[in-house]
């Protein structure tokens, strides 16, 4: 199986013309959020989408029992709230800063008009969201049928940074906590901690340069 990064997928912003991106980053309003602060919530309707200029964030659903189900990790150049450009009903997605985050706000209507007037962007976005749907199905299958240890290894292999490699080992983003990981594999923080310790003892993962690393076989 190819373990292409599925939580940190191809950045949507790269599907837009470079001159548009540069203009948005130059002229858009900037907002900053401290680590742990909510960037957007279902109750907080916004006329903007947010482009992350600096920092790391996550998107998640909140279950009725209060558990967070993380559905995406975001970093520089990623967009928060783009799907809200295309739907009229209230979003169910929260976004939260995992580190201190700076975002640039762009009017939804401006993006919608650009997409409507540019068929090539429309097709690229359709392809992107179709691939994202397939990725989520694969992840949900693993969550539904895999053991906790299997789900954790599966997740780590989706999260790794392919730009860094050390003799077959790849790092996992340092910004995510055990609570965040639990939300991604439908488990608890305590179980995640115990399972990570077991994987460390078994040599499946290792600590290196303040990161967890995992080897692809």
């Amino acid at each position: 199986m190819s373990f292409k990064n599925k939580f940190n997928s191809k950045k949507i912003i790269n599907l837009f013309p470079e001159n548009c991106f540069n203009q948005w980053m130059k002229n858009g309003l900037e907002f900053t959020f401290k680590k742990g602060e909510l960037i957007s919530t279902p109750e907080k309707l916004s006329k903007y989408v947010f482009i992350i200029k600096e920092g790391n964030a996550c998107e998640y659903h909140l279950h009725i029992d209060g558990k967070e189900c993380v559905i995406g990790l975001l970093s520089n150049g990623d967009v928060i709230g783009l799907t809200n450009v295309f739907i009229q009903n209230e979003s169910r997605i929260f976004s939260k800063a995992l580190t201190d985050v700076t975002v640039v706000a762009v009017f939804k209507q401006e993006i919608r008009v650009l997409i409507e007037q540019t068929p090539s962007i429309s097709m690229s976005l359709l392809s992107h969201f179709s691939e994202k749907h397939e990725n989520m199905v694969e992840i949900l299958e693993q969550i539904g049928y895999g053991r906790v240890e299997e789900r954790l290894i599966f997740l780590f292999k989706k999260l790794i940074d392919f730009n860094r490699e050390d003799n077959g080992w790849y790092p996992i983003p340092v910004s995510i906590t055990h609570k965040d990981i639990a939300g991604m594999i439908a488990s608890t923080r305590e179980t995640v901690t115990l399972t990570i310790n077991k994987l460390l003892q078994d040599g499946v993962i290792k600590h290196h340069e303040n990161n967890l690393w995992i080897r692809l076989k």
Side-chain angles (χ1 to χ4, degrees), residues 66-124:
K67 292 181 180 178
E68 297 177 5
C69 178
V70 178
I71 59 174
L73 296 178
L74 307 172
S75 59
N76 298 5
D78 282 318
V79 181
I80 297 172
L82 183 61
T83 54
N84 296 337
V85 173
F86 308 103
I87 59 176
Q88 299 299 320
N89 55 311
E90 185 177 280
S91 170
R92 297 173 54 201
I93 298 176
F94 293 77
S95 61
K96 178 176 65 175
L98 296 178
T99 63
D100 290 350
V101 172
T102 301
V103 300
V104 174
V106 182
F107 283 108
K108 289 180 182 177
Q109 186 60 26
E110 181 179 348
I111 293 180
R112 185 181 181 93
V113 169
L114 175 63
I115 294 170
E116 289 175 344
Q117 294 178 349
T118 315
S120 61
I121 296 178
S122 301
M123 293 304 297
S124 294

Side-chain angles (χ1 to χ4, degrees), residues 179-193:
K179 180 182 177 182
D180 297 325
I181 293 169
M184 296 179 200
I185 65 170
S187 185
T188 65
R189 180 183 59 79
E190 294 78 8
T191 300
V192 165
T193 299

